[in-house]
Amino acid sequence: MAPSNTSSAASDVLRAPLPTLTPEFVAEHYPSQLRLVHVDLLHRHGERTPVSHRIPEISPKYWNICAKGNPLHRDFLKAIGRDTESAGGDGTDGGVQWQSHIFKNATRSSGTIFGVSSAAAQHLSDTSQPTEATCGFGQLTDTGRQSMAALGANMRELYVDALRFLPNTLHSDNKSDTLYLRTTIYTRAFESLQHVLGGLYPEIPVGSPKLRVHVRPSDRDNLFPDFGCKQMVKQSMKLNAQNIERNEAEFQQLHQDMLKIPGLSAYLDADHKSGQAQAAISVMDVVAPMHIHDMPLPQGINGELIGRLSHMASVENLHSAWQSSAVARMQIGQLVYELAGNIVDAVQTDRAPIAATQPQLGIYSGHDTTLAPLLAVFGHDADKPTHDAPPNLEWPPYASSMRIELLNDTVSPHPTVQPAWEQDPAHPSADPSKVPFDERVRPTNVPKSLYQWTSRRQGSGPTEQVNPRATRDYYVRVWYNDRALLLPACRDPGAHHSKHGPSVCTLDGFFKQIARFAATENETRVECLAS
């Protein structure tokens, strides 16, 4: 095999771009009158090895790209009491076996998204041998650790150095008020969080109290879809099949082109027939890590092909959340509900008459299946008769990030008109949870008290204020990697900032966008069990 052709196309779909924080960028997006109140950062883990030894006709048996990370992984396992000794060479480092989950026996159905492993023999040109640098399957690589540290450093440059939003260092007296840290049960997500934190705060003082990292049981985690939700799986598979049929010609051409590549043809013939679901993501899960780590690939696997794989993988798996609000809600609705609650808490804390505390920054370390449905939530256009994914939708790159910023502006003029949806008559039900999802204008955990608040006035006591538009000084902006998203509900002139346009939503505009997706645990359970 020869090294694959270098191509910016592959880099574009495999590496998440970070915002270039020039003085002009900061001045444009963070003028002095826009005050940051709260930020939630959600990210995919960094570059990893494939989740299993698939397509051995082209891929190495031993992925020796974890030399720097393995000692850190060993220390991590010891710290959580999982330093299982192993004498084998597959997925071990220095006698300590690679663990994919934080907790012993932690399992959760991930569906069939990664396809079927090939049983073909290892290709003869593979000379890889187990070493101290050997990764486990699904492990965060040294490159992945660097990517996550770079994300943290970029956030430090913005939120610490440029904006002075976060403190310069973490001390025992401010750490609980500064950060909320959360990860899934996967060690690649936990270790990605560690490196983001290391980039954000590279010099935590020795002896500082430990930071609390929140990890939920696998069956209660809302950071990625639960494939035990039968109705979600049923509806997703139906829509996915329709999307594959609709794009049959493109799938057929991709399949034919891959059949011409030595090594891929045997795998496709054995495990994937032409046009069969999951073929693109299964191949991409192997060739993308090989390409990004500069491993030799057969002639024909290049940036252009990897770009096509990324696009068709999204057709196979991601378009359904754009096409059905119910699918997106079952996939990620409980997290949307939680994020809405974070915004509510931050607003209430910000305007409390007495000092109150809430974390300034929440960091959620997740997966592609965390960000992909969130993109559908923020891209859903309720005014369109049909709902399709963007034609250029790609798979979320490694180390992709999403930032939800709560902003306050008491200087700029407020929107002078009410958005059309705000003028609609109220739903007859007095119980917000009884309102059908598609008729909701805000999540059910947005309390009426948010519009009835106590103001702070210097030199006088607190004054009760009752104002149905009491939140009009608050705005929300959502970033995906290096670009601000334009939420469809915020296009209305009354639903976005008068100077900064639709990318800076009014608080109620943001609530309107996510209202039909925010779901409680019980609401999700009911939908999942529906016949």
Side-chain angles (χ1 to χ4, degrees), residues 251-252 255 259 267-279:
F251 271 107
Q252 289 279 5
H255 188 85
L259 286 176
Y267 172 72
L268 293 171
D269 286 341
D271 290 334
H272 293 287
K273 303 305 178 185
S274 179
Q276 184 176 328
Q278 314 305 338

Side-chain angles (χ1 to χ4, degrees), residues 19 39 61 64 99 106 115 215 243 262 329 350 366 384-385 392 411 434 438 454 488 503 512:
V39 179
K61 183 176 182 180
N64 297 323
Q99 302 288 345
V215 187
N243 290 326
R329 186 167 53 246
D350 186 57
K384 288 186 175 181
N392 60 344
V411 177
K434 302 299 182 184
D438 289 351
T454 304
S503 66
K512 169 63 175 176

Side-chain angles (χ1 to χ4, degrees), residues 108 182 216-223 334 521 525:
R108 178 170 178 170
R182 172 100 173 271
R216 297 186 181 179
S218 58
D219 60 344
R220 300 289 296 276
D221 199 342
N222 59 20
L223 279 176
Q334 292 182 66
E521 184 177 348
R525 185 182 302 111

Side-chain angles (χ1 to χ4, degrees), residues 12 18 30 34 268 290 296 308 322 381 442 468 474 500 510:
D12 290 344
L18 293 171
Y30 300 93
L34 272 184
L268 293 171
M290 292 182 69
R308 292 167 63 192
W322 288 79
D381 192 341
R442 59 182 63 95
Y474 290 94
H500 295 281
F510 176 75

Side-chain angles (χ1 to χ4, degrees), residues 230-345:
K230 296 180 180 179
Q231 194 58 221
M232 181 201 76
V233 172
K234 179 180 178 181
Q235 292 188 33
S236 297
M237 291 181 64
K238 179 180 178 180
L239 289 170
N240 291 343
Q242 292 173 356
N243 290 326
I244 292 173
E245 183 177 359
R246 189 179 301 118
N247 294 271
E248 182 178 3
E250 193 170 355
F251 271 107
Q252 289 279 5
Q253 186 60 57
L254 177 63
H255 188 85
Q256 291 302 315
D257 290 345
M258 289 194 294
L259 286 176
K260 300 174 185 176
I261 298 172
L264 282 186
S265 57
Y267 172 72
L268 293 171
D269 286 341
D271 290 334
H272 293 287
K273 303 305 178 185
S274 179
Q276 184 176 328
Q278 314 305 338
I281 186 60
S282 296
V283 174
M284 192 176 77
D285 189 58
V286 175
V287 301
M290 292 182 69
H291 187 284
I292 211 164
H293 291 95
D294 296 322
M295 292 181 174
L297 280 165
Q299 196 69 27
I301 300 182
N302 51 31
E304 187 271 338
L305 180 71
I306 292 174
R308 292 167 63 192
L309 287 169
S310 175
H311 172 64
M312 299 314 293
S314 72
V315 173
E316 287 178 338
N317 298 280
L318 307 185
H319 280 215
S320 57
W322 288 79
Q323 295 163 327
S324 167
S325 57
V327 168
R329 186 167 53 246
M330 286 184 282
Q331 287 181 347
I332 209 70
Q334 292 182 66
L335 178 60
V336 175
Y337 184 88
E338 181 176 330
L339 295 172
N342 292 349
I343 295 291
V344 170
D345 291 345

Side-chain angles (χ1 to χ4, degrees), residues 37-54:
V37 178
H38 178 80
V39 179
D40 278 328
L41 167 67
L42 305 101
H43 65 77
R44 184 188 180 190
H45 55 75
E47 289 87 340
R48 58 158 173 77
T49 55
V51 296
S52 67
H53 184 35
R54 190 183 293 114

Side-chain angles (χ1 to χ4, degrees), residues 39-367:
V39 179
D40 278 328
L41 167 67
L42 305 101
H43 65 77
R44 184 188 180 190
H45 55 75
E47 289 87 340
R48 58 158 173 77
T49 55
V51 296
S52 67
H53 184 35
R54 190 183 293 114
I55 322 185
E57 297 88 350
I58 66 170
S59 64
K61 183 176 182 180
Y62 300 101
W63 292 67
N64 297 323
I65 49 178
C66 294
K68 295 180 179 178
N70 276 340
L72 298 175
H73 180 66
R74 179 168 56 248
D75 291 343
F76 168 67
L77 291 180
K78 289 180 179 178
I80 63 173
R82 297 217 54 203
D83 50 336
T84 305
E85 295 298 326
S86 171
D90 50 342
T92 66
D93 72 273
V96 178
Q97 187 175 17
W98 155 252
Q99 302 288 345
S100 63
H101 294 81
I102 297 172
F103 304 115
K104 187 176 182 180
N105 298 327
T107 59
R108 178 170 178 170
S109 172
S110 59
T112 58
I113 190 168
F114 293 114
V116 182
S117 296
S118 171
Q122 191 71 23
H123 63 89
L124 297 178
S125 61
D126 178 25
T127 59
S128 64
Q129 297 294 325
T131 70
E132 290 293 314
T134 301
C135 311
F137 289 109
Q139 183 175 349
L140 188 70
T141 66
D142 290 347
T143 298
R145 294 173 187 273
Q146 293 172 358
S147 296
M148 303 316 296
L151 173 61
N154 188 264
M155 295 299 97
R156 178 178 180 83
E157 185 181 354
L158 177 61
Y159 293 127
V160 177
D161 299 337
L163 302 178
R164 301 289 191 267
F165 172 64
L166 297 175
N168 186 55
T169 59
L170 287 181
H171 298 291
S172 58
D173 59 345
N174 69 15
K175 70 180 183 65
S176 61
D177 301 342
T178 303
L179 300 176
Y180 171 83
L181 306 176
R182 172 100 173 271
T183 180
T184 68
I185 59 173
Y186 290 90
T187 54
R188 60 178 173 269
F190 199 119
E191 292 177 332
S192 290
L193 175 61
Q194 288 180 303
H195 287 279
V196 170
L197 185 60
L200 181 63
Y201 286 105
E203 297 181 1
I204 297 178
V206 177
S208 294
K210 296 179 180 179
L211 296 168
R212 180 183 296 275
V213 178
H214 299 261
V215 187
R216 297 186 181 179
S218 58
D219 60 344
R220 300 289 296 276
D221 199 342
N222 59 20
L223 279 176
F224 53 88
D226 180 3
F227 286 87
C229 175
K230 296 180 180 179
Q231 194 58 221
M232 181 201 76
V233 172
K234 179 180 178 181
Q235 292 188 33
S236 297
M237 291 181 64
K238 179 180 178 180
L239 289 170
N240 291 343
Q242 292 173 356
N243 290 326
I244 292 173
E245 183 177 359
R246 189 179 301 118
N247 294 271
E248 182 178 3
E250 193 170 355
F251 271 107
Q252 289 279 5
Q253 186 60 57
L254 177 63
H255 188 85
Q256 291 302 315
D257 290 345
M258 289 194 294
L259 286 176
K260 300 174 185 176
I261 298 172
L264 282 186
S265 57
Y267 172 72
L268 293 171
D269 286 341
D271 290 334
H272 293 287
K273 303 305 178 185
S274 179
Q276 184 176 328
Q278 314 305 338
I281 186 60
S282 296
V283 174
M284 192 176 77
D285 189 58
V286 175
V287 301
M290 292 182 69
H291 187 284
I292 211 164
H293 291 95
D294 296 322
M295 292 181 174
L297 280 165
Q299 196 69 27
I301 300 182
N302 51 31
E304 187 271 338
L305 180 71
I306 292 174
R308 292 167 63 192
L309 287 169
S310 175
H311 172 64
M312 299 314 293
S314 72
V315 173
E316 287 178 338
N317 298 280
L318 307 185
H319 280 215
S320 57
W322 288 79
Q323 295 163 327
S324 167
S325 57
V327 168
R329 186 167 53 246
M330 286 184 282
Q331 287 181 347
I332 209 70
Q334 292 182 66
L335 178 60
V336 175
Y337 184 88
E338 181 176 330
L339 295 172
N342 292 349
I343 295 291
V344 170
D345 291 345
V347 171
Q348 292 176 327
T349 299
D350 186 57
R351 63 187 192 189
I354 58 175
T357 59
Q358 190 209 17
Q360 295 169 272
L361 172 66
I363 305 179
Y364 295 76
S365 186
H367 307 266

